[in-house]
């Protein structure tokens, strides 16, 4: 894949994340209660709002996305984001699932003091996002600076009745992680 083409894919993915997770209003579309939008409407509204977007780009964003962020409906007519939403009124109706014994959360040291006090909170999104592998959590944290990876005792949380969901693209989601289930890396400052 050429560099240009790759950059373009990333730009399309960022635009789709904005519209399908956070701000459908920027191009005047509405997500249904499970987060879906008609691809035809998405494209025409994007174009009306000065954002060039083609059917080919949308399909490529679904198929080739590095994190499989988007899903195509069974009838092939609609698209939604698999996780990461902040927009109100959308519920993806995830099935609850039993998590692996340990999960990871990538963050940065500036947040640690509050996380020690409050546990992990979902902030603006609908869930706290957790990864089943440390490397992914490191990447998540590194979006904000030098990553700090927290370990989550998911087995005990699950045994204590906390509900976990697994998104279609492999992200583990919970409502919150209270502090007692968290382990901080040795030497993590603050
Ligand atoms: C932090 C990306 C202070 C938390 C990634 C995080 C992920 C607290 C930030 C997905 C806190 C929220 C989500 C507390 C949590 N006090 N800070 N009590 N509790 N935080 O972006 O997990 O590439 O909403 O550590 O890969 O960073 O967009 O969540 O730093 O999967 O597909 O508050 O977004 O996916 O930030 O990232 P976010 P996240 P995409």
């Amino acid at each position: 894949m050429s560099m240009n083409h790759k950059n373009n894919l990333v730009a399309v993915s960022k635009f789709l994340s904005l519209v399908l997770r956070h701000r459908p209003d920027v191009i005047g579309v509405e997500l249904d209660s499970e987060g879906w939008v008609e691809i035809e409407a998405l494209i025409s509204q994007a174009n009306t709002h000065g954002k060039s977007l083609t059917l080919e780009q949308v399909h490529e964003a679904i198929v080739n996305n590095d994190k499989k962020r988007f899903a195509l409906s069974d009838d092939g007519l609609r698209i939604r984001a698999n996780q990461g939403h902040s927009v109100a009124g959308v519920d993806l109706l995830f099935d609850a699932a039993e998590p692996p014994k340990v999960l990871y959360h990538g963050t940065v040291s500036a947040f640690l003091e509050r996380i020690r006090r409050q546990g992990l909170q979902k902030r603006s999104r609908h869930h706290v996002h957790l990864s089943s592998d440390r490397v992914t959590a490191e990447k998540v944290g590194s979006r904000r600076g030098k990553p700090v990876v927290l370990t989550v005792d998911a087995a005990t949380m699950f045994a204590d009745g906390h509900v976990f969901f697994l998104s279609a693209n492999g992200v583990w989601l919970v409502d919150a992680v209270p502090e007692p289930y968290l382990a901080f890396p040795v030497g993590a400052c603050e």
Side-chain angles (χ1 to χ4, degrees):
M1 192 185 297
S2 78
M3 202 57 191
N4 248 346
H5 189 67
K6 204 171 163 211
N7 288 343
N8 189 261
L9 253 186
V10 172
V12 170
S13 171
K14 285 189 189 260
F15 174 70
L16 292 177
S17 290
L18 173 73
V19 171
L20 300 176
R21 289 172 168 175
H22 311 296
R23 297 287 313 274
D25 57 291
V26 294
I27 56 164
V29 293
E30 272 185 41
L31 310 183
D32 77 7
S33 62
E34 294 180 31
W36 297 104
V37 66
E38 300 275 344
I39 292 173
E40 216 178 275
L42 173 78
I43 291 171
S44 70
Q45 284 299 106
N47 293 340
T48 306
H49 286 76
K51 180 82 192 174
S52 123
L53 185 68
T54 65
L55 185 58
E56 198 191 355
Q57 284 175 321
V58 171
H59 280 155
E60 195 173 0
I62 294 169
V63 176
N64 282 346
N65 192 260
D66 58 344
K67 287 193 187 169
K68 297 263 171 280
R69 290 180 178 89
F70 312 107
L72 186 65
S73 59
D74 289 339
D75 61 11
L77 297 177
R78 291 165 299 148
I79 182 174
R80 75 174 177 185
N82 281 322
Q83 38 72 230
H85 299 74
S86 64
V87 66
V90 166
D91 180 353
L92 270 60
L93 306 179
F94 294 113
D95 290 325
E98 181 171 353
K101 288 190 168 21
V102 173
L103 288 168
Y104 302 93
H105 178 84
T107 189
V108 285
S109 62
F111 296 155
L112 289 184
E113 192 193 325
R114 278 184 53 190
I115 293 173
R116 282 187 201 276
R117 261 190 286 129
Q118 310 173 330
L120 288 173
Q121 298 187 339
K122 56 194 173 185
R123 322 288 285 173
S124 60
R125 300 197 201 244
H126 294 178
H127 300 94
V128 171
H129 290 220
L130 304 172
S131 313
S132 56
D133 66 289
R134 189 178 275 282
V135 172
T136 303
E138 259 166 30
K139 284 187 196 152
V140 173
S142 64
R143 285 151 55 235
R144 299 198 158 81
K146 186 165 173 278
V148 175
V149 175
L150 310 183
T151 306
V152 177
D153 181 358
T156 307
M157 265 186 85
F158 185 70
D160 289 348
H162 291 269
V163 181
F164 288 76
F165 305 102
L166 179 60
S167 74
N169 59 337
V171 179
W172 284 94
L173 305 167
V174 280
D175 188 53
V177 181
E179 191 277 336
Y181 301 106
L182 288 169
F184 294 80
V186 179
C189 51
E190 296 177 76

